[in-house]
Structure formats: structure tokens, C-alpha cells
Amino acid sequence: MVDMRVRIGSIELKNPVMPGSGTMGEGLAHVMDLNRIGAIVTKTITPDKREGCPPPRMVEYRDGSLMAIGIPCKGPDYYIDEILPHYREYGTPVVCSVSAPSVEAFGNLAAKLSVPGVSVIEANISCPNLEEDGRAFGMDAEASARVIRRLKEMTDRPVWAKLTPNITDIAAVAQAVEAAGADAITCANAMLGMAVDVESFQPALGNITGGMTGPCMRPVILRMAWQVARAVKIPIIGSGGMASANDALEYLMVGCSAVQIGTVNFIHPTAMLDVIEGIEAFCRRKGIARVSELTGAMRSRKEYREQQAA
Amino acid sequence: MVDMRVRIGSIELKNPVMPGSGTMGEGLAHVMDLNRIGAIVTKTITPDKREGCPPPRMVEYRDGSLMAIGIPCKGPDYYIDEILPHYREYGTPVVCSVSAPSVEAFGNLAAKLSVPGVSVIEANISCPNLEEDGRAFGMDAEASARVIRRLKEMTDRPVWAKLTPNITDIAAVAQAVEAAGADAITCANAMLGMAVDVESFQPALGNITGGMTGPCMRPVILRMAWQVARAVKIPIIGSGGMASANDALEYLMVGCSAVQIGTVNFIHPTAMLDVIEGIEAFCRRKGIARVSELTGAMRSRKEYREQQAA
Amino acid sequence: MDSRTQLTSSPFPVAETVCPVLKNDWVNDLYKHLIVEAPHGAAHSEPGQFFHLLCPTIGDKAPFYRRPMSIYRIDKAQGRLEFLYKIVGTGTATLAQLEAGETLNILGPLGRRFDFAKRARHIVQVARGVGLATLAPVAEAAGKLGIRTTAVLSARTPRHLMSVEYLRSMNAEVITVTDSEGTSDVAAVERIVRRLIEKEGGDFLVTCGSNRLLQLVQRLGREYGIAGEVALEQHMGCGNGMCFACVREFHAPEGGITYRRVCWEGPVFDIQEAVSW
Amino acid sequence: MDSRTQLTSSPFPVAETVCPVLKNDWVNDLYKHLIVEAPHGAAHSEPGQFFHLLCPTIGDKAPFYRRPMSIYRIDKAQGRLEFLYKIVGTGTATLAQLEAGETLNILGPLGRRFDFAKRARHIVQVARGVGLATLAPVAEAAGKLGIRTTAVLSARTPRHLMSVEYLRSMNAEVITVTDSEGTSDVAAVERIVRRLIEKEGGDFLVTCGSNRLLQLVQRLGREYGIAGEVALEQHMGCGNGMCFACVREFHAPEGGITYRRVCWEGPVFDIQEAVSW
Ligand SMILES: Cc1cc2nc3c(=O)[nH]c(=O)nc-3n(C[C@H](O)[C@H](O)[C@H](O)COP(=O)(O)OP(=O)(O)OC[C@H]3O[C@@H](n4cnc5c(N)ncnc54)[C@H](O)[C@@H]3O)c2cc1C
Ligand SMILES: Cc1cc2nc3c(=O)[nH]c(=O)nc-3n(C[C@H](O)[C@H](O)[C@H](O)COP(=O)(O)OP(=O)(O)OC[C@H]3O[C@@H](n4cnc5c(N)ncnc54)[C@H](O)[C@@H]3O)c2cc1C
Ligand SMILES: Cc1cc2nc3c(=O)[nH]c(=O)nc-3n(C[C@H](O)[C@H](O)[C@H](O)COP(=O)(O)O)c2cc1C
Ligand SMILES: Cc1cc2nc3c(=O)[nH]c(=O)nc-3n(C[C@H](O)[C@H](O)[C@H](O)COP(=O)(O)O)c2cc1C
Ligand code: FES
Ligand code: FES
């Protein structure tokens, strides 16, 4: 038996696999048992009501997709009254993702959403569609830290900071949010991309730019997770391009304690279960007793050679 | 007849299609006629001799690859004596890519390489393998500008600044190099990524991190080209993930004057010819007389609708 | 993937199952008729719902997401599902290459069904193109509830009319109109639908597949005060309400325009709330 | 891609051509034998060179880059190329699915050929595994120059020995050793090669496919002062000298270690410069 539990600060998850915010919904409960995943992460909530981006909202590629959804949202009250009840019945912690246009509003929203049934607040400081050209809090270490500090003042729930990958030095932002009190870091949100419909000379997306996600982004986001892992001591939740257990193992080995599966849920809604089973099978095969031992288990090539020779 | 010529500052190219630095070599001349492409761009030259990164040097994905080559280089003399002669015989301008560890060395190298047969100096301020964690000049607008200013002092050749995409605000770097006198901007180099061989718990690349290139990166780099195009007035050469004429048209329409084809040359060495022919065919079909009219031809969706309705 | 290729059933209403292909033949120069063995799907499906099909990757043709297809026929007795699809692009092109004996990974049933059971005595269907597939199961289900169906089927040419025999075998009346015979213009269809409402007791309108016909049916619905539903299409990611890629504009009941997900709030919508395009 | 699928020839020595597959059959449980119609390739190829094959994408198996394969046989008369390949992963798995009548996109010929013409009177080949494919055309080419060839072929079992008949038909002498018969250990092969050098005038050593055999041949080459070549492998991007992905370590003539491209400076290298692994 492999011990699949992982600890993210003060909370314990039954296994390290959860969905990325905005990539699950009630529909998932029609396909699988939400008791089996490590956490339920809900779509980002904003203080105001929003319709989201104008269609077309997606472009498909060979190994990923560009989505410009925005954050359609019916506000925090609707979340508490209509969305949360769907998930409260499961024995799985709910991570509530929040986003707001100001530090103040971030804090108020988190306070409002710290209701029974919400175990963690994930701060989406990285959503690329909200600000002009995709600029967001997460693109500035100091602004990111301010959001996290405010959230820590306004809620007693653990706060996860979800970083943007559209940045030069992700390790610097990671250190800033760690210093501001973040309990964990989610690395990372979608990379900003765009597409042109050349036949019509128009942007292919209603919003012009969108978030590029899916397997093809894994190498880039994995590198960022590794950079973050070397820069901070708090737990890291990897998020980017995972489609299989192998992909998730890469994230764990570079230093993540848990992983979020996103785009692939859209294609194989039970993909998270395959990832959980695959990680467990890997541990069994390698004689690893606790999945948490995989965190940061990557060795340098040289070390490895020496060890093999020994 | 479509006029395929494009002007990049003071030089004119017979068509807008050229290889990315490091993605062509003498081998290409065994497969196709180098007179047919817009420019010959040679692999980055450094002042010193280098062997490059330890193998393994590549990981393959479904729609792109991660390469950690480094810059194997036999120095500028070898370039002038052994490499350049292969290309001088063609009626195609040679763009010589250079990189160096200091502003001073950048300038000296460019001066040394401003020999007959070299038409343009491309400053690779973006190569992700040279510095720790892939940090490079190109990650800092001021450092980038210093390199370009020095190059402009040291050579009378047009200077193209090849930017790194591993950055928060690529438009800011573009503006800095424009102000420093760059004649054009190449947007952009490879995104930094990594991979883990989970079976052996080792990094899959000898260098740990490498450059992610190929079709899957196109949406992200295209977005950057669009951001750069809105920020500067000098010509832009797009570089990232193009495999077909359609892909190149996307770059032209967001504001590029020319394009560089990279990774796909490795799979289809005559891909550039297909791209040239495809662009020409598109222009013919749309009744466009000069390929240069495509630069920045993207209209906003709204504009387009209004125009259709009219 | 290995575990996935063995999926055959699930305790959940919506399931990803790998189904043997029984038939995948041309019905005319544009459409193919696909039959898969899908006991789980057949047991749970209702008219108007759809499946999200994982079209295979072959060479350059690599459909990343699934492709939505209405259920053309639900054969609960034999545990089969049928689809009628037009080859238009990447995914349908690779779908068309599947041969009997191979398998197809399907996800469903998904979406909201047509809701006529308590509201209709005589359903008038107005369908064109792909709409012929989407509306077909309505007649069978209506028949079982003693609800009469008249289907007005529109197509380019008589050859492109589909499901006429099937609908008749379900005791639906079928009226066909085609462009090539000059019988399919909106005015002609309007005359037919008015007659069905005024003379034949038509009291519920369903439509799919044509914007012009949607506008017609909306207008007649308003004029006669008759309820109705329309099945709409939009490009989809998940097909399961999770990604919000598939939204379209709708008239909000409280006024103004709102976005709704075709896969989740639809694909069947109140006919007056739909915004024609 | 359309233009590409019509490629058949080129005025350039190296070309991307789309070739009809004539045969792609199993030779044992591990290897397949592929024959393609490739007049351009056959006309330009030399022993030791390789082609870079665009293995098809099928479902989850999507080889991004081409796969290098030595030319097993160059049939200039009929304009054909033959390959002998082991199924080991993604690309070779999809290659194995090709059927006669389908086409394969190949790029080549690439790389440096074996260089024995002016240096050898009796070539001693020592090959194992994939090396059997790589060394096979040496015998035919040597024969045409009146150079004698003896091939020492090593394999797991007699069933895994390949090209024995072909080599004999080219007048090469063939000595086979196998693990299952207990005849293939390094000491045994050493005795054979020493005898060929000492008694039969062996004066040029070529090897491919085994690190242990490379070390042996390097040692004997040094001891007897005999020249030789080895064909090496490395993962490749372009196969054409452009990407520098395929480097391996070599002893630089001026001392120390240097990287060289297997596709460009090789795949055939001086036996003493190769670094065994
Ligand atoms: C609920 C629903 C039911 C449908 N039922 C049927 C049916 O029974 N028979 C039938 O022939 N077609 C039906 N369609 C349309 C069918 O889904 C598209 O024809 C198909 O997705 C085209 O895929 P492609 O890869 O061949 O085309 P491409 O143009 O290559 O696809 C590119 C992208 O556009 C999307 N797309 C293109 N056209 C449509 C469309 N009309 N609707 C939605 N997405 C589209 C694709 O899914 C894909 O994401 C239905 C659509 C929906 C939404
Ligand atoms: C010059 C040359 C000639 C060769 N000739 C033959 C031959 O005649 N017959 C034969 O059976 N094999 C030969 N090989 C080996 C053959 O190229 C590999 O077996 C093949 O690339 C494996 O591809 P895959 O997708 O099936 O394996 P995977 O393991 O799925 O491939 C993953 C990656 O590793 C590379 N790779 C894996 N093994 C090798 C290898 N041994 N050499 C180079 N790259 C590898 C692949 O090309 C691909 O890039 C040759 C290799 C080289 C370099
Ligand atoms: C359609 C879609 C909607 C998303 N919505 C959100 C969101 O509301 N909040 C958020 O923090 N991340 C959002 N994301 C990002 C994902 O949670 C995840 O971080 C990202 O998709 C990378 O993982 P993947 O490659 O596995 O998809 C969204 C992603 C997609 C594809
Ligand atoms: C193997 C390899 C080597 C490269 N070497 C260089 C280099 O030496 N200098 C440079 O400026 N860019 C180099 N690049 C980047 C390419 O020129 C190009 O900008 C990048 O690959 C993006 O384009 P693509 O997606 O079409 O490959 C290299 C890329 C690859 C794949
Ligand atoms: S397709 Fe994902 S919400 Fe409708
Ligand atoms: S494979 Fe590209 S240089 Fe050898």
C-alpha cells in the first residue's frame, strides 16, 4: 500500500491530484466520484457579475488549445448559495479560487467566501484575460505580495497564490508571496497567446488574446515549477499540461507536493483518476512507500551516474 | 505576379522567408537552392570556442521539441574562413547572428564579423542556454539597449535585435532596443523549458533546461510579435512555431515584415519553399499585389463585421 | 490510455465508453451514418442530447477536442446509438475513416433534451441539414407518448433528404421541400407551417439547422402564441459544462443579452430566447 | 503538405521523397524488412549512409522528428532501398504499420559513408543487433572493388541472425556466434578476429551495434596497428548537420574530448576516435 496523502501547509489531501480552477464543474460529478480526488478547485469567483469574453472563445491545436473565456461569474452570493452546495456533500476539501480588481476587493471577497465548506482560498493573481494585454497582479512581485498579505489578514483559511507564467522571473514572485505569508504556491496559470484567422484577417478569438494550455505547455511550466521549488520552502502545486501520471511525476520530482490537471479533463473527464492510479502504480513499482517522497526527488545527472556506478 | 520583396530597414529581401539562426547549416544547400530564400541566417557565433551542452540534447513532444544545444562554436575566425564561404556564392544576404558574455565583447565580435558577405548582424541577446537559469541580456530592457547601442557603434551593418520570450513585458524591451538604434527586431527566441526522465529520476537534458520550439509555441510567440508591433515602428521579423504559409501569414498580419522558420526545417528541409509559395498563392487568391501589404493587415473583429455589412 | 480503451460501462449517467463500430456508411455524397454498440449510452439517452466523440488522429489530422454529435437514433432494445454526420473538417474527416470492427471513444449522453412531453399534442418539426439528425429522435419519443409529429424537412436536393423513411416508420408525417425543386424558400415553408398550426392543431414548434428557418419559427411562434424549442450549435471544448467555451448570446428573461453554454443549458433552448445569427 | 506528398525526385543529392512501400515484413520477432521504391535515393546512396524516415502519426503515437535508419541494401538497378529495423518505440511502431502500397516520406541519403576503398584488402566486420543492417552494404560494395569481406555476426539466438544469406550471396564469408549457443562472448569473438587478422590478412575492421565489440575491435586495432571504422548512433533532430542534437563524445586528434555530430561528421567514424560508452 502506497501512502498517497500529501500535506499542503495545514491541510492534508488524500492524494496529490486535483483539477485546475476553471477546468471542472458540476458536470464532472455526473462522470466520476469527486470523493476520489485530492481536492475540488472551483472556478475563479469575482466580486462583480460578469459575462466573460465574447465568442469565439477557443482555438484548437495539435497538442493544446487557446481559450479566451474570461471569468464569467454570478458573484459570491451565487457561489455560496448555488455552487458550493454541490460540492459540500463530498469528503474532499474545496479550494475556492478568487480574483478581484484591487487588493481591497481581493480581501473582502476572500472574507466573504470563507464560509463552511471552503477549505482553502486560491488567489488567482494570474488570470491573463482580465487586464489589458493580459497584465495582471501576478506580473509584479510587489503587487502579488500585497494581495497575499491582505488575504492573510482577511481570512483564516490557508491561502494559495496562483502565479502567472507570463513573467521574466517567476522565482522572484514566488519569494515575494512566500514572504507575504502564502501557505502554498500554485504554478502556474495559462500562458498568454493569440491566433489569427487569416482568411478573414481577424483575430480568431473574440478577446484577441487567450490562455494557451494543454500538454504542449508542460515543458515551459515545469521549468517554472522547478525554479520556484528552488526559491521557496512552502509547498508547490504544479499546474500545466499534465495528461498522464508520468507528466504528474515530472512535477512532483522537480519539487511539487501536488498537481492540478486542467485541459485534459475536457477530453477525458476521468483523467485525474488515471493520474492517481498511475502515480500509485509507479510508487509500488519503485518501492516508494509515501507519495510525498517523490517531491523534489529529481537528482542531477551526475549524481545519478555516480550512484549507479557505486 | 505578386511582388514578394520586403524591406527591412536599409536592406531589401527578395521574399520575407528565412531560417532562424541555428536551424540551418551547409546541409541545407544539399537539399535546396539557397538563392530562393529571403536571407541566410547563420548559427550564433561567440567570441570564444565552445563545445555546447552535454548530451542528451533533445526531447521530442507531439508538436514541438525541447533542445539544449548551447552554442557550439569554433570562434569568429573559423566563421569567416570556413562557414561564410559556403554562403557567399548565393545572391542571398547573409545575416550573422552573434552573442557574447559582455557588452564590450558583443561590440568587438560584431566589428570583427562585419566582413564582406555579411549583410546584417543579428544580436542574439536571448539565447536561453548561456546564463544560469536561462537568464540573458534580453531579460532586461536596459541591458538589451546597451548591447544594441554598442553594436551600432561598432558596425555599419544593420543590427537586428533578437528578443527573448522569457519575459514579462516584451514590448518594453522592444521599445528599449528601438531607442538604442536597432534596425529591426526578431521576435523571438525559444522559450525555456525542461523535462524529467521519471524512470531514472534525472533531468532529461544534459543541460537540465532547454529551448522549447516548434508549432506548439506559435500562439504564445505570435502574441508577443503582436505586442511588439504595437509598441515600435521598426520592422519585425517573426520567429516561432511556423510550419506552413498560413502560420507565416498570422505573423505578417499581426505586424511582422518577415518571418524566420526554425524547427520545421529539421523535419522538412524544404519547408521554407512551401511557405514562400503558399504566401504567394494566398496573395494571388486575395488579389494582394505586394506581400508587404500583409504586414499588420489584421483588423479587429468589429471593424471586420462593419465592413462586411457595408 | 490503456485503462481507457477498455471502458465499456460506468455507474455514472454520463460516461466515457469505448464502443465497437457496427456501421459507418455513406448515405449521400455529404453525410455518413454511424452505428455504435453502446449499451450504457443507449440506456441513458434522450432526444436532443448529444455525444462528444473522440475522433481519431490520423497523420496531419489531429482533432484535439472531441466533436459533438446529436443522437440520431437511440436503439434501447439493442443497446445501440446512431449518428448522422456531415464531413466538414478535421474531426469528421477522421471519423469518416472508421470502419466496422474498429472502436470509437464516446462521452455522453450530454446536454438538455427536448421538453415536449407535457406541452405538446402535435409537434411541428422544421429541419434542414444537420438538423435532420438532431430532430429525428423526437418523432419516435413523441409517438410513444401519443404525440403527433409532422416533420418539414428541407434540403438542397431530394438526394440530400435523410431520415424520411425512418420518420414515416415512426408514424410521423413528412413534408419535404428542396432548393432544387424550388419548394424550400422561407415563404413556402411559412405557408406549410401556418397550415399545420391553423388546420392541423400544430401546437409545439421545434427546429434545428437553419438560421432563416429559426427566424421564421420564432416569428410564427410569437404570432400564434405557441411554445417551441430550437437545438443550437457552437464549437465545444468539454461538452460537459466545465470550460465555458461553447457560449452563445441569448435574450435573458429579465431583458438584455446573456451568454449561455450550448452544452449545458442547451443544446435545446426555448425558441424565443435564442438569438438568431 | 500537398506539394510534399508528390515529391518523387530532386536535382539535389539529398532529397525528401515520397516513396511507395513495396514490402514491410517481419524477419523475426523483433525486426522488419522494409523495401521502398526510391530511384533518387538508390542512385545517390553509399554504404554506411542513412535515411531519415518520417514515421507516420497514428493515434497517440506521434513521432515529431524523423527516425534515422541505415541503408541495409542499395538496389541501384531497380531503384530500390531496403531497411532492416527493430521495433523499439513510437516511431518504429508506426513504421511497422505501413503496408505495401502505402507511401513513406524519406530524407536522404545522409551522413558519411564507410571509407575502405583505398585502405582495405580484407575487411573484417564485427556486427551485432542493428549493426547487421548497417554493415550489410559494405560487403556488396567491397566485393565490387575486389575487396574480400568476412562478417562476424553476433546475435541473441540463431533466429535473430539476419542477412547471412544476403552476405553469402555477395561472396562474403560469414561466421555466426550467438548467446544461446554460448559462442558470442567477447573472448570467443576475439579469438575469431585475431585469427582473421593473423591468418587471413584481415586489414580493416568495421563494427556496429555493440559497445563491448567496439572496445574489442579498438583494442585489437591498436594492438595490430590496423585501421578501422565504426558506425555510431545518437538521437537525431534534423539528420542533416543543422541542429547539433546528435553529438557524441570523441577523442580529439589533438587530445582531449570533443563533440561531433553523428549525422554529419558520421555516422561512420574512425574507430580509435570513438569513445565507447
Ligand atoms: C450539440 C451539437 C450537435 C451536433 N450534431 C450534429 C449532427 O448530428 N450531425 C452533424 O453532422 N453535425 C452535428 N453537429 C456539428 C458538428 O459538431 C460539427 O460539424 C463538427 O464538430 C465539425 O468538426 P470538424 O473537425 O470536422 O470540423 P472543423 O471545422 O475542422 O472543426 C474545427 C473546430 O470547429 C468546431 N466546429 C466546426 N463546425 C461546428 C459546428 N457546426 N458545431 C459545433 N462545432 C463546430 C469543431 O468541433 C472543432 O472544434 C453538432 C454540433 C453540436 C454543437
Ligand atoms: C545513423 C543511424 C542508423 C540507424 N540504423 C538503424 C537500422 O538500420 N536499423 C534499426 O533498427 N535501427 C537503426 N538505428 C536506430 C533507430 O534510429 C532507432 O531505433 C529509432 O530511432 C527508434 O525510434 P523509436 O521512435 O521507435 O524509439 P523511441 O525510443 O520511441 O524514440 C524516442 C527518440 O529516441 C530516438 N532513438 C531511440 N533509440 C535510438 C537509437 N538507437 N539511435 C538513435 N536514436 C534513437 C528516436 O529517434 C527518437 O528521437 C539507427 C540509428 C542511427 C543514428
Ligand atoms: C477553459 C479554462 C478556464 C480556466 N479558468 C481558470 C480560472 O477561472 N481561474 C484560474 O486560476 N485558472 C483558470 N484556468 C487555468 C487552469 O486552472 C490551469 O492552471 C491551466 O489550464 C494549466 O493547466 P493545463 O495545461 O493542465 O490546462 C483555466 C484554464 C482553462 C483551459
Ligand atoms: C536546435 C536549435 C538551435 C538554435 N540555435 C539558435 C542560435 O544559435 N541562435 C539563435 O538566435 N536562435 C537559435 N535558435 C532559435 C531559432 O532561431 C528560432 O528562433 C526558434 O527555434 C523559434 O522558431 P521555431 O519554433 O520555428 O523553431 C535555435 C533553435 C533550435 C531549435
Ligand atoms: S463545451 Fe465546455 S462548457 Fe460547453
Ligand atoms: S541530427 Fe541535427 S545535427 Fe545531427
Side-chain angles (χ1 to χ4, degrees), chain B residues 230-241:
Chain B
R230 296 194 307 167
V232 302
K233 295 211 163 47
I234 51 177
I236 300 155
I237 299 118
S239 169

Side-chain angles (χ1 to χ4, degrees), chain B residues 67 266, chain D residues 52 234-247 261-264:
Chain B
M67 293 252 195
F266 300 157
Chain D
H52 220 17
Q234 180 57 294
H235 295 200
M236 289 187 180
C238 67
N240 195 18
M242 311 199 294
C243 74
F244 287 79
C246 64
V247 299
R261 289 162 293 182
V262 169
C263 76
W264 189 255

Side-chain angles (χ1 to χ4, degrees), chain C residues 88-136:
Chain C
V88 299
T90 315
T92 49
T94 66
L95 189 63
Q97 292 191 42
L98 277 181
E99 287 175 20
E102 298 188 283
T103 58
L104 175 66
N105 180 315
I106 70 174
L107 172 69
L110 296 163
R112 202 170 78 80
R113 57 160 293 163
F114 284 103
D115 178 25
F116 48 78
K118 301 211 176 74
R119 306 203 275 166
R121 281 184 310 172
H122 180 182
I123 298 172
V124 177
Q125 294 188 4
V126 184
R128 189 174 162 95
V130 161
L132 275 62
T134 308
L135 297 185

Side-chain angles (χ1 to χ4, degrees), chain C:
Chain C
M1 283 289 165
D2 275 351
S3 71
R4 231 169 253 139
T5 54
Q6 282 151 35
L7 292 170
T8 51
S9 192
S10 164
F12 290 87
V14 178
E16 183 181 348
T17 53
V18 175
C19 303
V21 172
L22 301 174
K23 189 178 159 196
N24 190 21
D25 296 345
W26 292 101
V27 293
N28 57 41
D29 55 335
L30 301 174
Y31 281 82
K32 285 195 107 168
H33 179 197
L34 170 71
I35 308 183
V36 297
E37 200 172 310
H40 178 279
H44 292 83
S45 296
E46 299 291 342
Q49 289 192 296
F50 68 95
F51 274 79
H52 219 16
L53 310 185
L54 194 67
C55 303
T57 286
I58 305 173
D60 277 350
K61 296 198 166 68
F64 183 69
Y65 287 118
R66 292 167 181 267
R67 299 297 189 251
M69 289 294 163
S70 300
I71 313 163
Y72 169 56
R73 204 179 152 201
I74 309 159
D75 185 343
K76 297 203 190 255
Q78 295 191 81
R80 294 177 178 177
L81 290 172
E82 306 190 12
F83 302 92
L84 198 61
Y85 66 95
K86 187 174 176 180
I87 288 84
V88 299
T90 315
T92 49
T94 66
L95 189 63
Q97 292 191 42
L98 277 181
E99 287 175 20
E102 298 188 283
T103 58
L104 175 66
N105 180 315
I106 70 174
L107 172 69
L110 296 163
R112 202 170 78 80
R113 57 160 293 163
F114 284 103
D115 178 25
F116 48 78
K118 301 211 176 74
R119 306 203 275 166
R121 281 184 310 172
H122 180 182
I123 298 172
V124 177
Q125 294 188 4
V126 184
R128 189 174 162 95
V130 161
L132 275 62
T134 308
L135 297 185
V138 170
E140 183 164 355
K144 284 190 185 137
L145 297 169
I147 298 170
R148 183 176 160 194
T149 299
T150 302
V152 184
L153 306 183
S154 171
R156 256 207 278 154
T157 73
R159 204 161 32 94
H160 294 105
L161 286 163
M162 296 170 297
S163 72
V164 176
E165 295 319 309
Y166 165 57
L167 287 170
R168 290 206 170 118
S169 75
M170 292 296 128
N171 296 318
E173 290 141 72
V174 178
I175 300 166
T176 65
V177 298
T178 66
D179 305 354
S180 63
E181 297 165 307
T183 51
S184 63
D185 57 300
V186 173
V189 175
E190 176 165 351
R191 281 191 297 275
I192 295 168
V193 177
R194 281 191 188 277
R195 181 178 57 77
L196 289 168
I197 295 170
E198 292 174 8
K199 304 273 157 71
E200 307 281 339
D203 63 355
F204 195 80
L205 303 169
V206 300
T207 187
C208 179
S210 158
N211 190 39
R212 290 182 316 145
L213 295 178
L214 168 61
Q215 288 169 333
L216 168 68
V217 169
Q218 284 179 322
R219 181 158 51 80
L220 296 179
R222 270 195 307 274
E223 184 180 326
Y224 291 103
I226 295 180
E229 293 181 314
V230 57
L232 293 172
E233 296 180 5
Q234 180 57 294
H235 295 200
M236 289 187 180
C238 68
N240 196 16
M242 310 198 296
C243 74
F244 287 78
C246 65
V247 298
R248 294 177 62 120
E249 293 186 345
F250 288 87
H251 299 290
E254 64 277 16
I257 290 290
T258 185
Y259 290 138
R260 291 194 194 140
R261 291 162 292 182
V262 169
C263 76
W264 189 255
E265 281 93 15
V268 176
F269 292 93
D270 181 272
I271 205 155
Q272 299 302 346
E273 293 178 8
V275 174
S276 62
W277 62 100

Side-chain angles (χ1 to χ4, degrees), chain B residues 20-23 43-44 67 69 71 97 124 162 188-189 213-214 239-242 261-263 266, chain D residues 243:
Chain B
S21 171
T23 68
K43 171 118 189 124
T44 299
M67 293 252 195
I69 307 297
I71 308 216
S97 170
N124 177 3
K162 184 165 179 182
N189 214 309
T213 62
S239 169
M242 283 170 263
I261 310 290
T263 306
F266 300 157
Chain D
C243 74

